[in-house]
Amino acid sequence: MTTAAVIDPDLEPVDQLGDRLKAILADIRDEYLQPHLTPWILGFSGGKDSTLLAQLVCEMLLSLPPRKRRRAVHIVANDTLVESPVIAHHLDMVLERMRQAVEPLRLPIAVAKTIPDVEQTFWVNLIGRGYPSPSRVFRWCTDRMKIAPTTTYIKTQVDESGQAILLLGVRSAESTQRRRSVIRYDNGRRLNPHNSLQNCLVYKPIVDLSTDEVWQTLLQSSPPWGGTHRALVTMYRNAGGGECPLVTDKSEAPSCGTASSRFGCWTCTVVEKDKSAESFIEAGYGDLEPLLEFRDWLKAIREDGSKRMAKRRNGTLNFVGEGRLIPDPFTLTARREIFDRLIAVQSEVNMQLVSPAEIDVIRRIWAEDTIAMTKF
Ligand code: SF4
């Protein structure tokens, strides 16, 4: 497997976007044609960067005769099950288009969507176990809802093939945080070892493109899986900003649930305000209003000591500093109140917000906690 540098430092810089894209496509093609069958796993969030990356990979595959399309490419999205409904709808629509294009175009692509384990969903942890709504100091959600499901998928591929290459649409120009992370993990070669996953190499083909170049390319082209990028452009315009990327390790997690990552979960209480939901509502998505109100309420009750237990679920007290008692999980009464409100919102907006399987787990945990509490 090659680990050659992407760009020869002796070459003149290539300024024209067309030439830059040609160079990126040539690089992707060169990596794909290496003499081994290590699968590619492309992290797809449905946002502009991973959409462009998926498009370039498909274009590269289509430029090859079918007999040379020998390595498997997995396009993998993650659904936290509490994604903003607008984003979730867009993601499902694009994934379905991709699935339908694979066979007629003879592409060696598997399209997959990962979800959290039912024991670790947002509602099971918040309503079942009573975890306080996530905050900067206790952001329990990213690991359980994003990193773990994607990691399981990648590990399965590594176990089957001995190694996997993860293609990410990250770009240095995305944010200062991203630039730092790119520099920290860049060994100056095309493939970098993944920060935490063994036998997984990371490949970032569009790392040097600017945001304008990404938009320009998308606006001037159509996706090989059919349709146009119009829905994507409209979604960004309505949301007024960034996206919550596909997260595969903790070093990338700081961008999840921040003001710059507005395409996150509709339940995200890490951000002060959900600006993307506000923008969508202004753009006419009235259905989101009850969801936004519910999110605001979830954030507010985190601060209400009367709704929090003084003890942890295992019966221990939680002190910090000079003996200051930290409230722990939501009380069982508060958990039931959150559940009842959630069911009411679910009926109001007429969309499934919590699944029957999650409700079963929530009821089981409540029963276990009720028994445990009698022993404290
Ligand atoms: S968007 Fe917010 S709630 Fe969702 S995983 Fe990220 S930090 Fe957690």
Side-chain angles (χ1 to χ4, degrees):
M1 177 174 307
T2 181
T3 48
V6 180
I7 294 169
D8 183 339
D10 294 324
L11 288 176
E12 287 290 316
V14 187
D15 290 330
Q16 296 297 315
L17 177 55
D19 289 343
R20 284 164 68 79
L21 290 169
K22 269 189 209 148
I24 292 171
L25 269 172
D27 193 68
I28 296 174
R29 183 185 166 109
D30 183 61
E31 180 52 45
Y32 186 78
L33 291 177
Q34 291 302 309
H36 56 79
L37 293 177
T38 301
W40 280 7
I41 301 173
L42 191 155
F44 187 74
S45 70
K48 63 184 186 315
D49 299 322
S50 59
T51 298
L52 176 60
L53 179 59
Q55 176 165 324
L56 292 172
V57 167
C58 286
E59 282 171 7
M60 180 280 295
L61 289 169
L62 289 169
S63 76
L64 298 175
R67 68 189 160 76
K68 288 201 169 176
R69 303 174 193 168
R70 294 175 61 235
R71 286 168 68 184
V73 177
H74 302 251
I75 295 186
V76 183
N78 183 61
D79 181 350
T80 57
L81 302 179
V82 280
E83 299 292 329
S84 163
V86 184
I87 315 299
H89 175 75
H90 174 79
L91 186 63
D92 283 344
M93 189 259 296
V94 176
L95 292 178
E96 190 47 38
R97 278 226 169 102
M98 286 176 169
R99 269 187 208 108
Q100 287 182 10
V102 164
E103 219 184 292
L105 294 178
R106 299 178 70 188
L107 294 170
I109 290 180
V111 181
K113 188 165 88 165
T114 57
I115 55 170
D117 187 285
V118 69
E119 291 284 339
Q120 296 299 342
T121 68
F122 188 85
W123 299 124
V124 164
N125 280 308
L126 187 125
I127 299 178
R129 299 189 177 92
Y131 284 13
S133 21
S135 63
R136 270 182 211 289
V137 284
F138 187 34
R139 199 183 52 175
W140 47 265
C141 43
T142 316
D143 238 338
R144 291 170 170 83
M145 300 181 343
K146 291 192 167 189
I147 298 176
T150 316
T151 298
T152 304
Y153 191 96
I154 296 170
K155 278 186 177 163
T156 305
Q157 296 311 316
V158 170
D159 287 349
E160 280 175 15
S161 309
Q163 197 171 43
I165 296 175
L166 180 63
L167 277 75
L168 296 176
V170 295
R171 293 179 303 106
S172 300
E174 252 173 280
S175 65
T176 314
Q177 170 69 41
R178 184 64 83 187
R179 194 158 34 245
R180 276 196 211 118
S181 154
V182 166
I183 291 166
R184 189 151 29 117
Y185 298 110
D186 191 353
N187 60 3
R189 294 167 187 269
R190 181 190 277 164
L191 304 179
N192 288 251
H194 190 277
N195 189 31
S196 52
L197 288 169
Q198 271 199 341
N199 297 324
C200 177
L201 296 164
V202 178
Y203 178 28
K204 304 166 192 162
I206 62 166
V207 69
D208 294 322
L209 286 186
S210 69
T211 303
D212 283 351
E213 287 171 329
V214 170
W215 278 125
Q216 200 178 327
T217 311
L218 290 172
L219 288 167
Q220 290 172 353
S221 61
S222 299
W225 47 85
T228 68
H229 291 305
R230 213 172 300 140
L232 179 72
V233 175
T234 309
M235 197 171 74
Y236 270 83
R237 194 169 293 144
N238 288 339
E243 68 208 78
C244 208
L246 188 114
V247 182
T248 66
D249 94 61
K250 285 195 176 76
S251 69
E252 295 161 346
S255 61
C256 180
T258 65
S260 66
S261 59
R262 294 180 209 159
F263 286 1
C265 309
W266 71 266
T267 52
C268 188
T269 51
V270 177
V271 281
E272 197 53 40
K273 284 181 153 209
D274 187 343
K275 290 189 183 135
S276 105
E278 288 172 3
S279 303
F280 275 124
I281 291 165
E282 268 174 39
Y285 290 87
D287 278 3
L288 298 184
E289 211 156 349
L291 301 188
L292 183 61
E293 280 169 18
F294 187 76
R295 182 217 84 103
D296 291 347
W297 177 72
L298 273 186
K299 184 169 181 301
I301 60 168
R302 186 174 66 200
E303 315 303 330
D304 180 351
S306 72
K307 294 195 190 299
R308 305 272 298 270
M309 292 162 55
K311 290 180 180 174
R312 291 179 182 177
R313 291 174 62 244
N314 64 10
T316 60
L317 290 169
N318 194 9
F319 289 101
V320 76
E322 293 159 8
R324 192 162 63 88
L325 187 62
I326 301 292
D328 268 307
F330 284 125
T331 60
L332 272 170
T333 310
R335 293 181 222 174
R336 287 202 179 92
E337 185 188 358
I338 299 169
F339 180 75
D340 290 345
R341 281 218 191 193
L342 177 64
I343 296 298
V345 174
Q346 181 166 266
S347 308
E348 189 182 347
V349 297
N350 197 24
M351 54 177 112
Q352 181 175 287
L353 301 176
V354 57
S355 70
E358 288 176 286
I359 295 174
D360 284 348
V361 177
I362 288 168
R363 292 200 192 285
R364 191 205 73 216
I365 295 171
W366 283 354
E368 288 166 0
D369 278 12
T370 306
I371 294 168
M373 277 169 210
T374 58
K375 294 182 186 158
F376 300 153

